[in-house]
Amino acid sequence: MPGITREEVAHLARLARLELKPEELDHFAGQLDDIIGAVARVSEVADQDVPPTSHPLPLTNVMRPDEVRPSLTPEQALSGAPAQEQQRFKVPQILGEE
Amino acid sequence: MTTTTDLVSYEDAIAAYDPVMGLEVHVELGTKTKMFCGCSTALGAEPNTQTCPVCLGLPGALPVVNAAGVEYAVKIGLALNCEIAEWCRFARKNYFYPDMPKNFQTSQYDEPIAFNGYLDVQLEDGETFRVEIERAHMEEDTGKSTHVGGATGRIHGASHSLLDYNRAGIPLIEIVTKPITGAGERAPEVAKAYVRELRELIRALGVSEARMEMGQMRCDVNLSLMPKGADTFGTRSETKNVNSLRSVERACRYEIQRHAAVLSGGGTVVQETRHFHEDTGTTTSGRVKEEAEDYRYFPEPDLVPVAPPREWVEELRAGLPELPLVRRNRLREEWGLSATDMQAILNAGALDPIVATIEAGADPASARKWWMGELARHANESGKALDELAITPAQVARVTELVAKGDLNDKLARQVIEGVLAGEGTPDEVVEKRGLKVVSDEGALTAAVDEAIAGNPAIADKVRGGKVAAAGALVGAVMKATRGQADAARVKELILEKLGVSEG
Amino acid sequence: MTDIIKLTAAEVAAKIASGELTAVEVTEAHLARIEAVDEKVHAFLHIDREGALAQARAVDEKRERGEQLGPLAGVPLALKDIFTTEGVPTTVGSKILEGWIPPYDATLTKRLKAADVVILGKTNMDEFAMGSSTENSAYGPTGNPWDLTRVPGGSGGGSSAALAAYMAPLAIGTDTGGSIRQPAAVTGTVGVKPTYGAVSRYGMVAFSSSLDQGGPCARTVLDAALLHEVIAGHDPMDSTSIDEPVPPVVEAARNGSVQGMRVGVVKQFRGEGYQAGVVQRFDESVELLKELGAEIVELDCPSFDLALSAYYLIAPSECSSNLARFDGLRYGLRTGDDGTRSAEEVTSLTREAGFGPEVKRRIMLGTYALSSGYYDAYYGSAQKVRTLIKRDFDTAFEQVDVIVSPTTPTTAFPIGERADDPMAMYLADLCTIPTNLAGNAAMSLPCGLAPEDNLPVGLQIIAPVMKDDRLYKVGAAVEAAFVEKWGHPLLEEAPSL
Ligand SMILES: [Mg+2]
Ligand SMILES: [Zn+2]
């Protein structure tokens, strides 16, 4: 099934927001192909009628009451910010939907 | 982007095509705290004062579900006649965006908490249209960005943006309809009526104020056309964040006209998101992405499944309030109104004030008269909603009480209301301060009546001669002399008595 | 001084409680040891001298006031740099968090502080806990105190090396696929992965949420139990936390015995890839268990053969999402913000510069496994394998009380040997991964040196969910028997630094 191309790696890198260098694209194409090839055998069970396990323990309905708890101070919230302005996180221009 | 969009007339579009709509409405729930952390949801706080490691997405932080968020979601699901999932999970919707601290939205994917329901909506002529509900699911809101450096505070041309995460993590419920077909030319009206009905329902449940102007309720409109008689859906456009009832209707209408122009010109509709512009009533294309989004949904491993116990669901069902449509129909019957009259009340947003006024002691006809007359006019002139006027239903009820007792006539009552709206105090205080009591002193009235008869002998003779209608002029003279503070009905009685005639 | 650092945690606590030693003396002795040897070992990323001494002084003052001290009061600990510590840097071994000072304490950090455990500093680790050698740390590798040219295991190599080099009697690790147990095995120390949900994950930087579990590391089984009891227990801030009493681990560690117990040996935990000396020591351990009165039962767990594959789909998938928050916008590194680039570009450049190759590799792998069209074949199937593994464990634990295996197929390998071969590296976790997938508990403790290289071999003990006490009961018995046989704890054979 595998056979991961350089283009696919580039697409994954865009999805994952990694500005990979050209040599990394080649390197990862080979490695991902190897790894996927090795782990692809899990699909042996794809057709088996087995429920998937998403959580190791069968807990349900873990909730908290709707009660306000103290927030961080804005100074704490912004303490790690690479840039800030007007008590807000300052980020580069956003290319996106308006 | 600068090319003008071709449109065909609405009538032509509808003559050739059947519209199919899908409406996605996001509602911010009115819980005290966020969906996955204990930060307050109160509006108007200073930026980044209602954040914590969880809603800032700090490394190591973990979400915990707000029980009230789940309860509200189940209530909404039940009110929408949905099935409630016996077991469902949250999922992560993965995409990068600066207003989303974790760069995934904790949402629900293929296991919504509520599904397969419907909502009956009433159109302007009273006809009912059933909108089928696909699902209602829980998720969280994003932070708010302010774009700096551009000309208009818009994203394009901005040099940078500033982020406030107070809103990040506020619980949202997303309600998605099944494709709405068969509405024909009334599709835009159905869309508007649906959103309005949903808003009323949400408010009646007490789970959100659902104020569209505050962004607490936001609508995405999916629209496609198919040639009349066809049964395969066309390609849809998705108009995002249409944030008023009127805009929902206009956006639908515009997209119908635009799609029709594309299709009848032999073109194909592009599947894309579009933005609605309030000022022009038009939509424009959103950013076209080079690649299709791939959200890589998977079950949220940091949250365990939600399995609403059946007894609890039934308890909530039993505790649901009377739903808006049922209530409206009941009130219409109780008040003996036509569908049109009731619709006018709804359109004016007068239903709740009228009900509250009646509850405060007014009779239904008077309550309706004041809210739909004088107060509606005031609201209109001041550009406010009825419930934003500076008068309470209890105060309106007091005015009707004073009129019923004969202490005020309609004209004086209008002045009292004016005074209350102007902040002069309660109705009784306004009456007191402005000296607006009906003159009920029989002696003073009799003197004024005698004066009026003496001053208008010709008219008095006509009345004596049987032309009772002419008495109106004498009444007017008395009212003028008493500066309107007389009870007009009593004045008329006195005049007829003096002149020796009787009515009817 | 040398005596202090060789004491066990239980002994240190007793001497502080009795007044024979002060907490400040103990802390200073360990800080001095770190000063002396950590340049060679590089177990620590950050040493919190001031914080540690302040904590120690507070313990001594408490004692002077006659207040009751907790069972680990004043005992120094090395904390894996994956738990947030308010006011103290937390890097997770990554450049992307270089210099980040969290504004909050992890629940585990809070519990340690509340128990008056003295936190000496933060230990080195594979970046974001991804690795089995600590070579993936952005801050350079850690050496194995048994042979500084070899790895101390990973991802918690800093913690295991700190224990083995007597820089701390206690340490904290996290175990997603073996990151507590495998380092313990290759450094001759004890490490426990508690039942998933037993120790709060709140404030533990996530790698793979459904697998990650914090746990105790120590030089003796009893010390591990004492630490286990401090850090375990329900936390309302972690939805996956178990709301049940902590199993009686300390009591079990004080009453080691395997008499009458049924001990399972799984067919799938041997064969190709296992070093001869590792197999030899393991077989001897099984013999020892028999001598101590256990009944050995052969088990077949066929789905374990798929565990590694399932793990290398689930863990990268979850990590691709967990690590999305490192975008250079709210905290940590930001690269390439020259005023012209967009947020999107800056995020991509930041992540490119801030993550190391193994982290990128797993993010890419996870992005692939979750993407539309592949989900069912990969992530979906891996989750089914998980169910099968749980079932195999369920069946096994109907027949036995605990399972034993080698912890890792080989002893410590030389630094650099597997760096360019991810698949070879992944094999280090062959025996530890099934437990993470199923959520149950496991321990590694020393069972001797491999004859061919004189390096420590670990014995793994696996118990059912919330039966963590069995690990300690069995572990304590095995430990006592071995120490009696060797005449001293295994670590005494390590070369002095
Ligand atoms: Mg949504
Ligand atoms: Zn919060």
Side-chain angles (χ1 to χ4, degrees):
Chain A
M1 176 156 11
I4 296 180
T5 63
R6 201 172 185 275
E7 286 63 44
E8 258 184 293
V9 174
H11 169 70
L12 295 173
R14 275 194 298 278
L15 277 178
R17 293 282 192 282
L18 288 169
E19 187 69 46
L20 295 186
K21 299 181 190 77
E23 63 270 23
E24 283 180 300
L25 291 177
D26 293 323
H27 193 60
F28 281 138
Q31 283 191 333
L32 291 182
D33 207 41
D34 287 349
I35 299 170
I36 289 288
V39 300
R41 45 182 306 227
V42 295
S43 56
E44 287 169 17
V45 306
D47 296 333
Q48 280 189 42
D49 188 21
V50 177
T53 295
S54 56
H55 298 77
L57 302 176
L59 299 171
T60 54
N61 295 336
V62 176
M63 298 182 203
R64 66 183 168 81
D66 186 24
E67 288 160 11
V68 176
R69 291 174 53 94
S71 293
L72 293 174
T73 65
E75 293 72 31
Q76 286 176 313
L78 287 149
S79 61
Q84 53 175 297
E85 200 174 290
Q86 297 168 25
Q87 206 168 297
R88 293 170 171 91
F89 294 85
K90 183 179 174 186
V91 306
Q93 53 174 315
I94 300 169
L95 299 180
E97 311 265 336
E98 186 156 2
Chain B
M1 287 295 275
T2 50
T3 53
T4 51
T5 310
D6 287 331
L7 300 178
V8 302
S9 80
Y10 189 72
E11 292 66 33
D12 290 350
I14 287 302
Y17 299 100
D18 280 327
V20 177
M21 295 185 296
L23 300 169
E24 293 173 24
V25 176
H26 286 85
V27 183
E28 274 185 5
L29 296 179
T31 50
K32 291 194 217 43
T33 65
K34 296 185 179 182
M35 190 65 202
F36 303 114
C37 66
C39 289
S40 168
T41 57
L43 294 172
E46 289 295 305
N48 294 306
T49 53
Q50 291 169 353
T51 67
C52 71
V54 179
C55 57
L56 278 178
L58 293 190
L62 296 173
V64 186
V65 171
N66 182 342
V70 175
E71 181 183 321
Y72 289 7
V74 171
K75 280 184 176 166
I76 291 171
L78 289 170
L80 290 172
N81 306 290
C82 286
E83 294 170 51
I84 304 300
E86 302 211 1
W87 189 90
C88 64
R89 285 177 295 189
F90 285 95
R92 293 188 183 178
K93 181 182 185 182
N94 293 287
Y95 65 101
F96 283 82
Y97 209 76
D99 60 12
M100 203 167 51
K102 296 169 292 185
N103 287 316
F104 60 78
Q105 184 190 34
T106 308
S107 180
Q108 292 194 286
Y109 178 47
D110 48 359
E111 298 163 1
I113 186 138
F115 51 95
N116 270 345
Y118 63 87
L119 180 63
D120 285 332
V121 304
Q122 229 160 20
L123 304 182
E124 307 234 335
D125 60 0
E127 194 192 311
T128 302
F129 191 98
R130 176 161 292 189
V131 174
E132 306 220 59
I133 306 293
E134 169 88 34
R135 57 188 282 153
H137 72 249
M138 301 178 280
E139 56 183 37
E140 57 177 337
D141 212 342
T142 57
K144 250 188 191 147
S145 35
T146 313
H147 308 298
V148 184
T152 55
R154 287 159 73 139
I155 199 162
H156 295 297
S159 64
H160 61 276
S161 297
L162 300 178
L163 283 149
D164 168 14
Y165 293 105
N166 282 351
R167 197 182 67 183
I170 288 185
L172 288 179
I173 185 121
E174 178 176 338
I175 301 154
V176 182
T177 67
K178 290 183 182 165
I180 303 169
T181 57
E185 61 171 340
R186 304 190 74 172
E189 194 194 334
V190 166
K192 179 184 176 183
Y194 166 73
V195 177
R196 175 167 47 208
E197 191 64 42
L198 193 54
R199 189 185 62 181
E200 296 309 311
L201 181 103
I202 300 276
R203 287 182 182 171
L205 292 172
V207 297
S208 170
E209 307 240 340
R211 303 183 86 120
M212 293 187 84
E213 73 282 5
M214 309 276 279
Q216 290 171 331
M217 183 165 174
R218 322 193 271 267
C219 181
D220 299 340
V221 178
N222 291 279
L223 190 128
S224 66
L225 296 183
M226 50 187 184
K228 272 240 168 318
D231 52 9
T232 328
F233 295 169
T235 306
R236 69 191 164 89
S237 61
E238 182 179 9
T239 307
K240 289 280 195 188
N241 288 323
V242 188
N243 291 338
S244 75
L245 292 177
R246 181 163 169 262
S247 297
V248 169
E249 187 168 26
R250 288 168 85 205
C252 269
R253 206 178 160 89
Y254 181 86
E255 281 298 285
I256 289 172
Q257 290 177 265
R258 188 183 67 82
H259 280 228
V262 172
L263 294 172
S264 57
T268 47
V269 173
V270 182
Q271 180 164 349
E272 61 181 353
T273 61
R274 298 187 66 89
H275 304 300
F276 181 71
H277 305 282
E278 297 271 352
D279 45 355
T280 55
T282 61
T283 68
T284 55
S285 178
R287 189 165 69 115
V288 181
K289 301 203 179 90
E290 331 77 82
E291 292 170 334
E293 272 299 347
D294 183 346
Y295 293 122
R296 289 159 285 133
Y297 282 100
F298 71 101
E300 167 57 279
D302 286 329
L303 294 171
V304 304
V306 174
R310 294 298 98 179
E311 322 79 75
W312 179 66
V313 171
E314 288 318 309
E315 240 170 70
L316 291 180
R317 193 196 305 277
L320 288 182
E322 184 182 29
L323 297 183
L325 181 65
V326 177
R327 173 168 173 259
R328 286 200 308 269
N329 287 340
R330 173 177 61 76
L331 291 173
R332 190 170 64 78
E333 266 175 37
E334 282 175 17
W335 298 345
L337 298 182
S338 69
T340 330
D341 285 345
M342 194 63 180
Q343 195 58 47
I345 288 175
L346 296 175
N347 292 346
L351 189 66
D352 288 336
I354 291 172
V355 169
T357 305
I358 294 167
E359 278 166 6
D363 67 282
S366 305
R368 185 163 69 91
K369 182 178 87 179
W370 289 111
W371 283 106
M372 291 302 289
E374 192 63 12
L375 290 165
R377 192 175 57 74
H378 263 281
N380 224 346
E381 280 168 8
S382 57
K384 285 183 179 162
L386 281 178
D387 59 2
E388 291 167 345
L389 292 178
I391 190 165
T392 64
Q395 289 170 333
V396 176
R398 176 63 183 156
V399 172
T400 66
E401 191 188 350
L402 291 172
V403 172
K405 284 200 330 200
D407 286 356
L408 293 178
N409 56 28
D410 279 7
K411 190 175 166 210
L412 289 176
R414 268 196 292 278
Q415 292 181 44
V416 172
I417 285 171
E418 224 164 70
V420 174
L421 289 171
E424 292 169 25
T426 64
D428 290 287
E429 284 164 1
V430 175
V431 167
E432 186 65 34
K433 283 187 204 158
R434 290 197 181 188
L436 294 179
K437 272 258 161 141
V438 165
V439 178
S440 54
D441 172 350
E442 289 279 319
L445 263 191
T446 312
V449 167
D450 288 344
E451 212 171 292
I453 292 171
N456 299 283
I459 297 172
D461 280 345
K462 274 191 192 168
V463 178
R464 283 194 193 92
K467 281 197 84 176
V468 174
L474 294 175
V475 173
V478 175
M479 294 307 283
K480 197 175 172 189
T482 57
R483 299 200 323 281
Q485 284 171 295
D487 179 346
R490 180 70 190 133
V491 171
K492 195 175 177 188
E493 266 175 38
L494 282 173
I495 288 169
L496 294 180
E497 211 173 279
K498 289 264 174 192
L499 297 177
V501 284
S502 62
E503 231 173 335
Chain C
M1 286 295 268
T2 40
D3 286 334
I4 294 180
I5 61 167
K6 297 252 167 129
L7 296 174
T8 67
E11 287 163 351
V12 168
K15 288 182 192 292
I16 290 173
S18 70
E20 195 179 322
L21 286 172
T22 66
V24 168
E25 277 176 294
V26 170
T27 302
E28 275 173 345
H30 286 92
L31 287 170
R33 174 68 176 175
I34 292 169
E35 187 102 330
V37 302
D38 201 38
E39 215 164 296
K40 286 182 269 182
V41 180
H42 192 227
F44 285 87
L45 291 178
H46 180 86
I47 295 152
D48 185 19
R49 170 177 292 278
E50 294 312 312
L53 286 170
Q55 266 191 293
R57 275 193 295 273
V59 172
D60 290 336
E61 284 161 16
K62 258 191 187 178
R63 191 183 172 279
E64 276 162 33
R65 287 197 301 269
E67 282 177 41
Q68 182 73 38
L69 295 182
L72 288 178
V75 180
L77 173 139
L79 181 57
K80 190 176 182 181
D81 200 23
I82 195 169
F83 287 93
T84 60
T85 40
E86 187 176 347
V88 174
T90 301
T91 68
V92 204
S94 180
K95 216 161 43 166
I96 211 156
L97 274 184
E98 186 161 13
W100 183 57
I101 299 180
Y104 79 110
D105 270 338
T107 297
L108 178 135
T109 308
K110 277 191 184 149
R111 283 176 181 261
L112 291 174
K113 287 180 178 175
D116 289 321
V117 173
V118 174
I119 302 171
L120 296 172
K122 310 292 287 288
T123 57
N124 200 12
M125 56 184 287
D126 284 301
E127 183 177 6
F128 285 98
M130 296 175 200
S132 308
S133 67
T134 314
E135 292 166 288
N136 296 331
S137 167
Y139 304 99
T142 296
N144 189 324
W146 288 80
D147 174 351
L148 292 172
T149 68
R150 290 181 183 255
V151 303
S155 62
S159 286
S160 65
L163 294 171
Y166 298 100
M167 290 187 266
L170 295 176
I172 293 289
T174 62
D175 193 312
T176 304
S179 287
I180 288 176
R181 291 162 286 164
Q182 183 259 5
V186 300
T187 57
T189 58
V190 178
V192 174
K193 181 203 98 70
T195 296
Y196 179 87
V199 174
S200 171
R201 292 186 296 116
Y202 188 76
M204 173 179 146
V205 181
F207 158 21
S208 180
S209 307
S210 74
L211 302 167
D212 296 343
Q213 181 58 219
C217 306
R219 289 192 290 261
T220 70
V221 171
L222 175 61
D223 283 1
L226 290 165
L227 184 54
H228 188 131
E229 206 159 67
V230 164
I231 60 175
H234 181 241
D235 178 15
M237 298 294 280
D238 175 357
S239 306
T240 60
S241 168
I242 297 174
D243 192 1
E244 280 174 42
V246 179
V249 291
V250 173
E251 193 194 315
R254 291 193 198 279
N255 297 287
S257 164
V258 295
Q259 186 62 49
M261 281 179 108
R262 296 162 305 163
V263 174
V265 174
V266 177
K267 202 167 92 181
Q268 281 74 15
F269 285 145
R270 59 167 65 228
E272 221 183 301
Y274 287 77
Q275 190 179 321
V278 169
V279 175
Q280 186 187 331
R281 292 295 174 239
F282 174 67
D283 289 343
E284 289 166 10
S285 302
V286 173
E287 282 311 308
L288 177 76
L289 284 161
K290 263 192 237 174
E291 287 165 26
L292 294 172
E295 178 199 339
I296 305 299
V297 181
E298 289 279 338
L299 297 169
D300 185 12
C301 298
S303 64
F304 285 13
D305 286 341
L306 289 171
L308 193 69
S309 297
Y311 176 84
Y312 277 100
L313 289 165
I314 292 169
S317 295
E318 293 183 2
C319 103
S320 72
S321 174
N322 281 329
L323 270 57
R325 66 189 62 196
F326 300 97
D327 59 8
L329 302 185
R330 286 165 299 278
Y331 45 78
L333 184 71
R334 179 183 290 184
T335 303
D337 184 8
D338 60 1
T340 68
R341 291 200 177 97
S342 67
E344 190 172 356
E345 289 169 315
V346 168
T347 292
S348 298
L349 287 167
T350 299
R351 290 165 64 78
E352 167 65 11
F355 290 140
E358 181 63 24
V359 172
K360 286 184 207 169
R361 188 157 40 236
R362 296 209 197 179
I363 289 175
M364 297 283 286
L365 186 55
T367 305
Y368 177 83
L370 288 176
S371 57
S372 63
Y374 297 112
Y375 182 93
D376 288 339
Y378 295 136
Y379 192 75
S381 297
Q383 300 280 38
K384 287 186 175 183
V385 168
R386 210 166 172 175
T387 308
L388 296 174
I389 288 171
K390 276 172 78 108
R391 287 182 184 171
D392 276 356
F393 269 125
D394 287 346
T395 310
F397 286 123
E398 281 167 17
Q399 303 164 63
V400 300
D401 301 300
V402 294
I403 295 168
V404 292
S405 78
T407 305
T408 180
T410 70
T411 55
F413 47 87
I415 291 174
E417 187 189 79
R418 300 186 189 177
D420 282 327
D421 188 354
M423 286 313 292
M425 186 73 87
Y426 297 170
L427 290 174
D429 296 332
L430 207 53
C431 309
T432 45
I433 277 174
T435 302
N436 298 87
L437 289 169
N440 52 339
M443 167 189 278
S444 177
L445 78 166
C447 64
L449 301 179
E452 59 267 47
D453 53 19
N454 266 330
L455 289 168
V457 175
L459 171 69
Q460 179 175 230
I461 306 167
I462 304 173
V465 165
M466 281 310 266
K467 300 289 185 231
D468 306 40
D469 50 324
R470 286 188 199 165
L471 303 175
Y472 292 95
K473 197 165 183 63
V474 175
V478 170
E479 179 184 60
F482 273 132
V483 170
E484 196 188 314
K485 186 171 147 193
W486 302 325
H488 52 75
L490 190 69
L491 259 186
E492 303 233 324
E493 292 183 36
S496 62
L497 288 165

